[in-house]
Amino acid sequence: MVLKDFCERIVAAKCSSKSSTETVDSTQVPASSKAGSSDSKFPKASLWSTFFTSGFSVGETYSESSSSEKKAVHSRNSGWAAAVRKVISGGSMRRFQERVLGSSRTDVSSSDGDIWLLGVCHKISPHESTGDIDTRNVFAEFEQDFFSKILITYRKGFDAIEDSKYTSDVNWGCMLRSSQMLVAQALIFHKLGRSWRKTTDKPVDKEYIDILQQFGDLEAADFSIHNLLQAGKGYGLAVGSWVGPYAMCRTWEVLARNQREKNDQGEKPLPMAVYVVSGDEDGERGGAPVVCIDDASKRCSEFSKGLIAWTPLLLLVPLVLGLDKVNLRYIPLLQSTFKFPQSLGILGGKPGASTYIIGVQSEKAFYLDPHDVKPVVNITGDTQEPNTSSYHCNISRHMPLDSIDPSLAIGFYCRDKDDFDDFCSRAIKLAEESNGAPLFTVAQSRSLSIQVTSSSVSGDNTMFDDDSLDTNLDNDAGTNEDDWQFL
């Protein structure tokens, strides 16, 4: 009863305020810590989301109040927010929060096997010959790899988006931020390579700073949240509204094309073709999406305006792998995608709370969380020593892989034709090991509706022959159509 009254008072205080609220993470521990800690997700439009969000309010998403009203609201909020923060920091309330909202873990254990992080294996498991590992070095390598990945989170204080009053994306922009992280990582791979690590050395890599600039929170930045919302209007993107993985993938396709056309004679902001992989008839018939080799080639040709046959390629594969949860037979397949050298991870998370999943260890999914609220940071080329600390995280959170939302998207980056052929070879093998329920398949041509098999791939993986295609794609798609949603 006391808890109920307390919640009601907090919600009442929330409703009396004329400003939206933002959340910050208060449970941060080092990545190699053996103890778990909570980092709760905030279900959209729920009582508990309002309750916990209010307790950690640090600013305004938008405001229609006068300056005097703002000061009064801020004064009232500061008092009760501090009180709520004190209560929530107590052990009993933290346990209650975890029970209601769910929790994530930050411990990394050698007993759970090796960690695959975007195509790189960190051998955490003890060696069979010695029965032991150099734990300190292994964890340090993993931590440095994890820390080097680009983190993009909720921001507050940027210029209002279009004609709206929104100056923050708190509580609705997590999918946009997750997608920005994936594309930023593709650019890191392209310009700096998979082995690149963030260091404290001065000066910092110019290519790295250039990439961060492209994701600034202003219209002038190529891949800002402002420009994403503008490009995604045809797919239902709107300020203040949540968006799903499929619409997000299509939005990147549109934005990349728009940016190319705007910079027709200059350097392309996204130096790679974008290929959103869908099912038969763009997903209208359901079934597993099909990576069509001819379609990929066409995207590359369009990107280069016919000057070269192949270009770097960003593949985005939106999927729906169940109704309210992921069908368990897809879990091993999702795990295997992180072993692809071309892996860019997964846009996914809990329902209504998108994250960027970048690695797996056994049943764990390691992710970067966009739900931390940070002040806007727009890095310019004139900055002598830019502060990039808000773009990285040394807290390796993880959640059970089977708990993620079944609506997700997988990303891959192929540097050239050989890399794409290698991707296709791995994807074909993965589909053949799926017992008739693949994540996606590979075909030479959509019009042929024929799937490529591993036996049809030449030994050097450089060419796929139309004459060697012998498996009908419709058989696989039809068998498992009940497990797929229309994309």
Side-chain angles (χ1 to χ4, degrees):
M1 190 68 182
V2 173
L3 178 60
K4 179 180 179 182
D5 293 339
F6 181 65
C7 291
E8 290 175 348
R9 288 199 299 274
I10 295 299
V11 172
K14 167 75 174 179
C15 294
S16 68
S17 172
K18 293 185 179 182
S19 63
S20 298
T21 58
E22 302 170 348
T23 60
V24 297
D25 186 2
S26 64
T27 57
Q28 297 187 347
V29 299
S32 58
S33 170
K34 298 297 181 181
S37 70
S38 63
D39 177 39
S40 301
K41 294 290 177 282
F42 298 87
K44 187 177 179 183
S46 69
L47 170 63
W48 301 117
S49 174
T50 302
F51 170 62
F52 289 113
T53 300
S54 303
F56 290 107
S57 173
V58 296
E60 295 182 349
T61 300
Y62 62 92
S63 175
E64 299 176 359
S65 307
S66 65
S67 59
S68 60
E69 288 176 322
K70 289 179 181 178
K71 292 180 180 178
V73 170
H74 183 271
S75 177
R76 291 198 301 271
N77 283 353
S78 298
W80 64 259
V84 173
R85 191 179 295 110
K86 181 177 180 181
V87 173
I88 290 181
S89 65
S92 59
M93 181 55 77
R94 186 179 297 113
R95 288 192 295 272
F96 175 75
Q97 180 182 0
E98 291 177 5
R99 193 168 298 169
V100 174
L101 300 179
S103 63
S104 64
R105 308 274 302 177
T106 58
D107 56 303
V108 179
S109 172
S110 61
S111 63
D112 291 329
D114 298 334
I115 299 176
W116 281 92
L117 199 66
L118 300 187
V120 171
C121 181
H122 294 276
K123 293 188 175 297
I124 306 295
S125 302
H127 297 302
E128 294 182 4
S129 57
T130 63
D132 196 9
I133 57 173
D134 187 346
T135 305
R136 182 179 303 177
N137 288 339
V138 169
F139 280 125
E141 291 172 3
F142 164 69
E143 289 173 6
Q144 185 63 19
D145 194 5
F146 188 95
F147 174 74
S148 298
K149 301 299 171 280
I150 304 298
L151 170 71
I152 302 179
T153 69
Y154 287 153
R155 296 286 183 176
K156 61 175 183 177
F158 51 69
D159 292 340
I161 300 174
E162 295 184 327
D163 296 329
S164 75
K165 297 182 182 295
Y166 281 88
T167 60
S168 174
D169 59 313
V170 175
N171 290 334
W172 58 271
C174 56
M175 176 57 75
L176 290 111
R177 298 303 187 179
S178 298
S179 73
Q180 284 180 319
M181 286 189 264
L182 186 148
V183 176
Q185 198 54 55
L187 287 168
I188 290 289
F189 284 3
H190 178 77
K191 295 187 176 183
L192 296 169
R194 178 61 182 85
S195 61
W196 179 84
R197 298 290 182 267
K198 175 72 170 65
T199 68
T200 57
D201 297 340
K202 305 288 184 175
V204 295
D205 293 306
K206 181 182 183 302
E207 292 86 353
Y208 161 69
I209 295 299
D210 289 344
I211 290 170
L212 295 187
Q213 283 183 262
Q214 291 184 282
F215 294 89
D217 293 302
L218 67 168
E219 289 186 17
D222 297 320
F223 307 129
S224 66
I225 192 171
H226 302 67
N227 289 326
L228 279 169
L229 288 166
Q230 177 66 32
K233 285 184 177 180
Y235 291 97
L237 269 68
V239 179
S241 299
W242 200 82
V243 62
Y246 178 77
M248 197 70 255
C249 292
R250 289 297 183 187
T251 294
W252 276 102
E253 188 178 46
V254 172
L255 180 58
R257 183 172 61 250
N258 292 346
Q259 294 290 0
R260 280 203 311 272
E261 293 172 354
K262 188 166 65 174
N263 298 273
D264 188 40
Q265 302 301 322
E267 182 180 355
K268 297 177 176 63
L270 188 65
M272 60 192 76
V274 178
Y275 176 23
V276 179
V277 180
S278 61
D280 241 0
E281 299 177 10
D282 201 24
E284 294 301 321
R285 291 177 55 188
V290 184
V291 177
C292 289
I293 299 167
D294 289 350
D295 285 354
S297 178
K298 180 180 178 181
R299 301 296 189 281
C300 292
S301 178
E302 291 173 349
F303 178 81
S304 69
K305 295 186 175 181
L307 297 179
I308 55 177
W310 206 268
T311 69
L313 184 66
L314 171 63
L315 288 98
L316 299 172
V317 189
L319 301 167
V320 181
L321 303 179
L323 296 177
D324 56 348
K325 63 180 181 180
V326 175
N327 189 312
L328 294 181
R329 64 182 173 183
Y330 294 117
I331 297 299
L333 305 179
L334 290 174
Q335 292 170 325
S336 294
T337 62
F338 287 94
K339 299 179 181 180
F340 285 35
Q342 302 82 12
S343 171
L344 283 175
I346 295 174
L347 299 181
K350 298 295 181 66
S354 175
T355 63
Y356 176 35
I357 300 173
I358 61 174
V360 291
Q361 182 190 33
S362 185
E363 303 301 320
K364 301 174 184 176
F366 288 91
Y367 65 94
L368 292 171
D369 189 357
H371 296 88
D372 193 9
V373 182
K374 299 180 181 180
V376 66
V377 175
N378 288 315
I379 298 174
T380 65
D382 300 330
T383 307
Q384 293 297 320
E385 294 186 5
N387 182 0
T388 63
S389 60
S390 65
Y391 286 98
H392 297 275
C393 178
N394 62 357
I395 306 165
S396 56
R397 299 181 176 93
H398 61 79
M399 70 179 99
L401 188 58
D402 61 5
S403 72
I404 66 175
D405 193 306
S407 180
L408 52 90
I410 311 176
F412 301 95
Y413 167 72
C414 300
R415 182 173 296 276
D416 49 34
K417 182 60 164 64
D418 288 343
D419 203 22
F420 176 75
D421 288 345
D422 180 75
F423 162 79
C424 288
S425 179
R426 294 172 185 273
I428 291 165
K429 183 177 180 181
L430 185 63
E432 291 176 346
E433 295 172 352
S434 67
N435 294 320
L439 293 173
F440 54 89
T441 59
V442 178
Q444 180 68 39
S445 170
R446 184 180 298 277
S447 61
L448 294 176
S449 195
I450 295 176
Q451 176 186 343
V452 178
T453 63
S454 58
S455 61
S456 67
V457 182
S458 60
D460 58 2
N461 291 336
T462 59
M463 180 180 296
F464 293 89
D465 231 343
D466 288 350
D467 295 336
S468 62
L469 309 182
D470 55 7
T471 304
N472 194 313
L473 177 62
D474 289 338
N475 290 338
D476 281 344
T479 302
N480 304 289
E481 192 164 349
D482 59 327
D483 292 308
W484 288 84
Q485 307 302 306
F486 294 145
L487 296 179

